[in-house]
Amino acid sequence: MDPEHGLAHLLRCALCGLMADPGLGAVLRSGQVACTETDEAVGELLTVFQALLTAAHRSGAIRADTSPDDLRRYLLGLETAVRLGGGVPEQIERDLAILVAGLRP
C-alpha cells in the first residue's frame, strides 16, 4: 500500500473509532489521560501517525510540514464534520477524501 493510501486507511479506521466511541474523542481533545493504558493507546496512535507521515513525506504524497498532532486535530474536526453531515458512509468517504486532498503538497 502506498503511503497516501495507508494514511487514508489509518484516518478512516481512527474516524470509525471516534464515531463508535465518543470517549475516544474526549481523550484526544483533552490531552490529559486518567490511566496508563489510555495514555499508552494515544501514544501508540501518534506513533503510527508519525510512521505513516514519515513515509508519506519521503514519497512526496503529503505536505512536509504535517505533524502527528496536526492529524489528531484534523481527525477531531473531521469527526465533527461527519456527525453534522449525518454520519453516513458516503459522508465519511467524501470528507475523508477532502482531508487527504488537502494534505497533498
Side-chain angles (χ1 to χ4, degrees), residues 6 42 62 82 101:
V42 170
I62 66 164
V82 167

Side-chain angles (χ1 to χ4, degrees), residues 17-103:
L18 284 168
M19 297 296 289
D21 182 3
L24 177 58
V27 168
L28 291 177
R29 277 181 185 83
S30 75
Q32 297 178 349
V33 180
C35 69
T36 303
E37 293 84 8
T38 303
D39 187 46
E40 289 172 358
V42 170
E44 288 175 21
L45 178 63
L46 293 177
T47 298
V48 172
F49 277 168
Q50 182 61 62
L52 279 169
L53 281 174
T54 298
H57 289 154
R58 284 187 187 139
S59 73
I62 66 164
R63 297 172 53 108
D65 59 350
T66 306
S67 72
D69 191 58
D70 291 333
L71 292 182
R72 178 191 65 83
R73 290 181 294 105
Y74 300 154
L75 186 59
L76 291 167
L78 187 61
E79 175 201 12
T80 300
V82 167
R83 287 189 191 282
L84 290 171
V88 296
E90 297 82 14
Q91 185 70 39
I92 291 171
E93 291 305 315
R94 179 182 173 276
D95 289 348
L96 184 60
I98 291 169
L99 174 61
V100 172
L103 292 172

